[in-house]
């Protein structure tokens, strides 16, 4: 059996600062062989790169600018082009070490989007990062909250063919548009409490499914810190919904991850 690949994790989050080494140790013991550490803003980039050096061959860096940014402690706003400008020099600096550009995408949740201009700004930031991903021949690790169809449509229009749609919250029929484009969808442990995720997995071909935790968010219990070790819960529930053996889910989802993120394959030698 191959090990698990957590395709979308915020291992750099401050929630892990007190016990990150123990979290990583529990992850390895649970059967993980790789964690893709995604960024949301330029201020996180150096920390993620340092973690990739501390845990070589296990923590893999993904740098990108999220569609929602912090404007002040406990306050959030839609992304601006200035946020992207701050990130670009660091993406250029570390481009040889990255396995993906992410976390990028669109978030049309009303609290972050007040008008069409806000949506257009998010689109511009995503388009620029899609261009960078194509130039560097890297996949995109994508957020699409309340914006599933617009995100998939934009990525198709931009000719992006290597995409992971993480924790997709849209309808299965919309997800199938992504499947037709060859995109992958990663499933978090919160599937056990999400009827939407269960319906999504039922419809998605296993060949388009990857696993994630989105730690410290989207765990099996609300308001409880999630950890990469909980990826086993994602796998077990996908097995249940699809009616296939757990070993098959592990094998196919890991192969999918290695196919989408080829740098993992060369480093892990799987």
């Amino acid at each position: 059996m191959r090990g698990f690949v957590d395709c979308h994790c915020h291992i750099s989050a401050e929630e892990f600062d007190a016990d990150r080494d123990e979290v990583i140790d529990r992850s390895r013991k649970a059967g993980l062989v790789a964690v893709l550490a995604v960024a949301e803003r330029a201020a996180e980039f150096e920390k993620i790169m340092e973690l990739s050096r501390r845990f070589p061959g296990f923590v893999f860096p993904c740098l990108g600018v999220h569609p929602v940014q912090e404007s002040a402690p406990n306050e959030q706003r839609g992304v601006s082009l200035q946020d992207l400008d701050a990130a670009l020099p660091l993406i250029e600096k570390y481009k040889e070490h990255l396995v993906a550009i992410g976390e990028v995408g669109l978030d049309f949740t009303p609290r972050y989007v007040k008008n069409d201009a806000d949506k257009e700004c998010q689109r511009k930031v995503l388009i620029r990062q899609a261009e960078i991903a194509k130039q560097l021949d890297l996949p995109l690790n994508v957020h699409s909250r309340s914006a599933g169809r617009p995100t998939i449509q934009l990525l198709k229009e931009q000719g992006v063919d290597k995409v992971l749609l993480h924790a997709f919250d849209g309808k299965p029929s919309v997800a199938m548009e992504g499947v037709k484009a060859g995109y992958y969808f990663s499933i978090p442990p919160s599937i056990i409490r999400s009827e939407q995720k269960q319906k999504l997995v039922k419809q998605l071909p296993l060949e388009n499914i990857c696993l994630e935790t989105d730690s410290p968010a989207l765990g099996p219990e609300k308001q409880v810190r999630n950890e990469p070790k909980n990826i086993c819960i994602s796998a077990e529930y996908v097995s249940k919904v699809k009616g296939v053996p757990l070993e098959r889910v592990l094998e196919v989802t890991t192969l999918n991850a290695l196919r989408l993120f080829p740098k993992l394959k060369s480093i892990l030698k799987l």
Side-chain angles (χ1 to χ4, degrees):
M1 285 175 58
R2 300 174 185 271
F4 293 108
V5 176
D6 187 345
C7 290
H8 188 103
C9 176
H10 297 270
I11 196 65
S12 64
E14 63 181 16
E15 286 89 340
F16 295 121
D17 285 352
D19 64 343
R20 188 172 285 106
D21 285 24
E22 291 84 352
V23 168
I24 295 290
D25 187 53
R26 287 193 289 269
S27 302
R28 294 182 191 271
K29 289 178 179 176
L32 275 88
V33 294
V35 168
L36 271 64
V38 295
E40 294 187 342
R41 55 194 63 87
E44 293 178 273
F45 288 7
E46 295 289 358
K47 187 174 183 180
I48 286 175
M49 296 310 302
E50 174 58 26
L51 290 173
S52 73
R53 291 188 288 268
R54 275 185 60 201
F55 304 101
F58 188 76
V59 173
F60 293 86
C62 309
L63 302 185
V65 178
H66 192 281
V68 177
Q69 297 287 300
E70 290 183 353
S71 53
N74 301 316
E75 291 183 16
Q76 295 179 311
R77 58 169 173 77
V79 70
S80 71
L81 292 171
Q82 288 73 28
D83 297 315
L84 179 60
D85 289 341
L88 293 179
L90 290 169
I91 292 175
E92 174 66 23
K93 177 181 178 181
Y94 292 117
K95 62 184 180 182
E96 299 299 327
H97 303 281
L98 304 182
V99 297
I101 300 296
E103 177 178 0
V104 305
L106 301 177
D107 191 318
F108 290 169
T109 307
R111 64 182 289 199
Y112 308 127
V113 174
K114 307 303 181 186
N115 49 49
D116 287 343
D118 289 342
K119 290 184 178 181
E120 184 58 26
C121 189
Q122 287 192 26
R123 289 191 187 97
K124 287 180 178 178
V125 171
L126 177 54
I127 288 170
R128 180 68 186 109
Q129 293 186 99
E131 291 171 347
I132 292 167
K134 288 191 293 182
Q135 289 166 8
L136 299 179
D137 194 24
L138 290 172
L140 283 176
N141 207 317
V142 179
H143 173 104
S144 57
R145 185 165 52 195
S146 300
R149 179 171 273 118
T151 302
I152 290 172
Q153 187 60 40
L154 184 151
L155 295 173
K156 288 166 62 177
E157 288 172 356
Q158 295 302 311
V160 181
D161 57 5
K162 292 185 286 190
V163 172
L164 180 78
L165 287 149
H166 109 90
F168 190 77
D169 69 355
K171 295 179 180 178
S173 59
V174 175
M176 293 308 291
E177 296 175 18
V179 169
K180 290 176 184 176
Y183 298 166
Y184 294 85
F185 294 77
S186 53
I187 308 301
S190 60
I191 185 175
I192 71 170
R193 54 184 174 86
S194 169
E195 185 177 347
Q196 178 269 333
K197 295 283 186 298
Q198 293 164 19
K199 289 180 178 178
L200 178 67
V201 165
K202 191 169 185 179
Q203 181 115 359
L204 288 172
L206 188 58
E207 290 70 25
N208 293 82
I209 294 177
C210 292
L211 303 176
E212 67 158 295
T213 61
D214 198 30
S215 302
L218 299 189
E221 299 177 75
K222 274 188 175 183
Q223 310 303 322
V224 176
R225 186 186 74 168
N226 191 19
E227 292 188 14
K229 69 172 186 177
N230 289 330
I231 202 162
C232 303
I233 295 171
S234 299
E236 289 165 0
Y237 214 91
V238 170
S239 169
K240 175 182 175 182
V241 172
K242 302 298 284 181
V244 299
L246 178 59
E247 291 79 6
R248 177 67 177 159
V249 172
L250 173 55
E251 178 185 15
V252 175
T253 57
T254 298
L255 283 172
N256 291 343
L258 298 177
R259 192 174 294 118
L260 179 58
F261 305 104
K263 284 190 178 181
L264 291 181
K265 189 170 186 177
S266 61
I267 295 171
L268 297 174
K269 296 180 173 59
L270 291 178

